[in-house]
Structures are given as C-alpha cells and as structure tokens.
Amino acid sequence: MTARAADRARYDRATAHLDAPLAIVDLDAFDANADDLVRRAGGKPIRVASKSVRCRALLERVLARDGFAGIMSFTLAESLWLARSGFEDVLLAYPSADRAAYAELAGDPKLAAAVTVMVDDVAQLDLIDASRGGGREVVRVCLELDTSLRLLGGRVRIGARRSPLHSPAEVAEMARAVTRRPGFEVVGIMAYEGHVAGVGDAVAGRPLRSRAVRLMQAAARRELAERRAEVVRAVRAVVPGLEFVNGGGTGSVQHTAAEDAVTEIAAGSGLYVPRLFDNYTSFRGRPAALFAQPVVRRPGVGVVTVLGGGYPASGAAGPDRSPVPYLPEGLRYDPQEGAGEVQTPLLGSPADDLLIGDKVWFRHAKAGELCERFEALHLVEGEAVTATVPTYRGEGHTFL
C-alpha cells in the first residue's frame, strides 16, 4: 500500500460516520508542516497569515507552538474581530477603506494596542483621520515596501503590483509623513516577495520554465536583500524604535530569514500545503487540508460522478486554480467538463472500484480559500476525528 493509499484508508475510516461534502485537517501533517516552517525560519519568529488558515482554533493551535508569534490578517474587520477574541498582535497586511472599522479602532485602547494597519500613501492617512469619529487612540502603522524586481530601467517588472513605495528614499519619506502626523506611530515595515515566495520553481513537465523561474528568483532575492537592508536603515534613521521588519512567505522562508534586516517571517500556506505548493525545490510539505465529495453516479466504465467540487481559487484563471482529485490516486477530470458547480465527472480506472456514497478526496489550489466553502473542519488524528471546529464562515464571517 502506498503512503497516499494509507492516508485514504485513514481518512475514510476517520470520517465513516460523516456524510460528504466535508473538509478535514490532518493534524499530524499540520503539526509536521509547522515544525518544518520553524526549522526553515532559523530562529526568527513566524507571523501566521490568517488568510491561509481562516480558522480560529487552528490559529490558536499554531500560535501555541514555539517559533510562531502574531497574526498577519487580511481585512480590518477581521483584525478587530481577532483582537476582540484575544489575539494581541495582529498586523493587517493590506490597506483598508473600512471607515466604520477605523472609527472602532481609534476609539478603543485595547484594539489600538493590538492591531497594526498597513499604509503606503498619505491619502490613506487622510481616510483614517476622516474616519476617527472622535476616537483619539494612536493608530499603529506599518509601511509596505514594493518588492518587485525592475529590469531594463523599469521597463520590465516582475512581481505583484502592491505598494508604490519602491526606493529607500520613498519609504523613508512616507515614514516622515507619518511621524509628522499626530495620532499615528510607525512600528514596522513589511515586504512580501510574492514572485519568490508564491511561485513554484519546479513545475512538473516544464523544465525550461522551472529553470527560468529559479534564475529570476535568485536575481530577485539578491536585489531585494540589498534594497530591503537600505530601506530599513533609512527608516530607522527616522524611526529609531522600529519594532519589526516582516518579510517572506511559505516558499521563501529560509532565504528571507537569512537577511539580517528581517526580524520576522510571514507564512501560512505551508501549514495546509495546498496543491500550488507542490512545485518547490526549497521544501516539501505534507498535504494537511483536504475536502471530500460523495460519489452520486456511475455513468459507465471508468467514470464516476461526484457532487459539486468546482471550487476555483483566486488568481489568473487556469487549470492550476482548480482543485485536484487526490484520493484514490489516478482519477482525473473530464477535459470537456472540468470541476463542476453541482456535479463533477471523474475518469480513470479507480472509478470502477468506487460505489455510490464513497468519498473522493480533493486538494484545493490555495490554502485558506477552501474554508470559504465549508462551515467546519474535522480534525483528524490517526484514524479518528478528534474535534470539529468552525471556520470563519462557520462563525458567521466572510470578510471578503
């Protein structure tokens, strides 16, 4: 029996009393992935990206482990909810235009102490000030650095279009603008190198593309390490008491941690290890989050149909954004139908061994987005479900 076949047997036994559709997290794999992230971080704390987890119970579990400290959130409303729930260090990774949430933040000393917001433009400060509604609390601010690699005098850009602040001088000037403004305090810098941390460098069947990605990433890491150090020096000249410099992501943990200027690493997807994180030479994780759909039809030899399953992930549309049939091994989509809204035909010889009501296990393309489809995660240890915990959706929250 292969390791994957053994996992399928475990998951089927653990959830035999549960009807699909359902989602699980294998806690043995989850904990092993957490240990590997800590190992790669080399002693620097890991701030957990909540968008990749979207389950309070699992955020609490990982933050109870040595090597993890703080949360990186994705909306201001989520940040306030987490802070009210007892999380004391929440860094909002994206600028917000949520006026009501800013009023709440500025009017509550506990929330203002726990939450740090992201800015990269003076206009964002204007919006926050206009939203205070009488709240006088100092708003903690993190400045975001654009990490994109620019070549040929800027005519070629590689990396996500995020912050407009690219040079040390631009970030330092933004820091000065914040310090001149009453009611704000610069406490950190964030620089997320998505073109390194979030792009696989070992794409199956694409050796030339994989080599090109590795060459690009090596160049990007060198350029960013030098520029990030200059940015930190420039900002510390303005804000000597800077608390943290955040960088990295699951795919670049050990590289980013090696930079002296970086004080903490961001990671989250590496806990669940969705399918987009199979294509890396820098680490090998264990798939921890899966969902099961029930077999509802047997249309013919070598074909079964499962209920639903068409859960595409965000990003540029393409086959890599679809979930992948994982267990039993050997199933594939019908190219004329793909993953469907209410039914999904699956082809392959393993289909002939599946009965009506059997479970087919899938892996989602991106980590936390799976939780937007399910209200609960069944936590599997060995051959048993030892707990069932709500996702954000299960707690009544869909923040995006």
Side-chain angles (χ1 to χ4, degrees), residues 70 72 74 80 101 107 115-116 158 229 252 265 268 296 314 328 344 378 382:
M72 177 176 282
F74 57 94
L80 301 184
V115 175
T116 301
I158 301 172
S252 68
I265 310 299
V296 292
S314 60
T344 298
H378 302 285

Side-chain angles (χ1 to χ4, degrees), residues 294-307:
V295 174
V296 292
R297 284 178 170 160
R298 290 171 50 88
V301 175
V303 186
V304 292
T305 300
V306 298
L307 182 69

Side-chain angles (χ1 to χ4, degrees), residues 1-344:
M1 181 182 289
T2 66
R4 279 174 59 175
D7 282 342
R8 180 196 175 200
R10 284 198 303 116
Y11 301 150
D12 282 348
R13 284 193 288 269
T15 63
H17 62 297
L18 299 170
D19 288 332
L22 59 85
I24 66 167
V25 170
D26 183 334
L27 290 181
D28 293 334
F30 182 91
D31 290 343
N33 292 336
D35 287 341
D36 187 61
L37 287 169
V38 170
R39 177 190 62 80
R40 291 199 286 138
K44 292 187 176 178
I46 298 171
R47 186 180 291 274
V48 184
S50 65
K51 78 177 184 66
S52 300
V53 179
R54 301 192 201 201
C55 171
R56 277 200 302 165
L58 290 176
L59 289 173
E60 291 168 354
R61 182 184 184 91
V62 72
L63 286 170
R65 304 175 69 89
D66 290 340
F68 291 86
I71 289 177
M72 177 176 282
S73 58
F74 57 94
T75 75
L76 184 52
E78 178 213 14
S79 305
L80 301 184
W81 176 64
L82 291 172
R84 287 194 299 268
S85 300
F87 295 96
E88 297 179 348
D89 180 6
V90 183
L91 169 62
L92 175 58
Y94 308 88
S96 176
D98 188 338
R99 293 174 172 82
Y102 277 129
E104 187 176 356
L105 176 68
D108 188 314
K110 178 183 175 182
L111 296 179
V115 175
T116 301
V117 303
M118 193 66 58
V119 302
D120 54 37
D121 192 311
V122 171
Q124 294 157 354
L125 302 178
D126 294 339
L127 186 146
I128 295 170
D129 269 338
S131 305
R132 286 178 180 270
R136 296 179 178 274
E137 296 300 322
V138 172
V139 175
R140 291 166 54 86
V141 165
C142 180
L143 309 178
E144 181 167 3
L145 168 67
D146 169 40
T147 65
S148 64
L149 177 64
R150 298 182 182 181
L151 305 172
L152 302 177
R155 292 191 295 276
V156 174
R157 174 196 176 106
I158 301 172
R161 295 183 180 275
R162 293 176 62 112
S163 171
L165 307 176
H166 187 80
S167 71
E170 289 171 334
V171 184
E173 179 53 36
M174 186 66 202
R176 282 189 286 271
V178 177
T179 58
R180 288 193 295 262
R181 196 137 178 170
F184 294 91
E185 179 186 11
V186 176
V187 298
I189 299 171
M190 188 190 82
Y192 171 58
E193 54 269 38
H195 50 303
V196 178
V199 177
D201 64 349
V203 183
R206 306 283 300 275
L208 294 179
R209 174 178 171 79
S210 297
R211 177 169 173 74
V213 169
R214 287 194 290 272
L215 290 172
M216 176 276 291
Q217 290 180 341
R221 287 197 302 269
R222 288 192 299 269
E223 186 276 336
L224 179 58
E226 180 178 340
R227 180 159 52 91
R228 182 153 41 199
E230 293 174 357
V231 166
V232 172
R233 284 194 294 270
V235 172
R236 286 194 186 279
V238 180
V239 186
L242 197 69
E243 295 178 15
F244 64 86
V245 177
N246 180 282
T250 288
S252 68
V253 170
Q254 65 270 39
H255 300 298
T256 308
E259 296 182 33
D260 291 338
V262 174
T263 66
E264 63 176 41
I265 310 299
S269 295
L271 296 168
Y272 287 170
V273 187
R275 64 168 294 198
L276 282 178
F277 284 83
D278 287 346
N279 303 322
Y280 286 79
T281 57
S282 60
F283 78 103
R284 287 287 183 272
R286 290 173 55 184
L290 300 95
F291 68 93
Q293 302 295 111
V295 174
V296 292
R297 284 178 170 160
R298 290 171 50 88
V301 175
V303 186
V304 292
T305 300
V306 298
L307 182 69
Y311 305 154
S314 60
D320 65 339
R321 302 291 148 166
S322 293
V324 61
Y326 185 60
L327 301 170
E329 298 178 67
L331 292 174
R332 65 186 187 279
Y333 291 123
D334 182 332
Q336 296 184 58
E337 296 194 48
E341 177 189 9
V342 291
Q343 71 166 35
T344 298

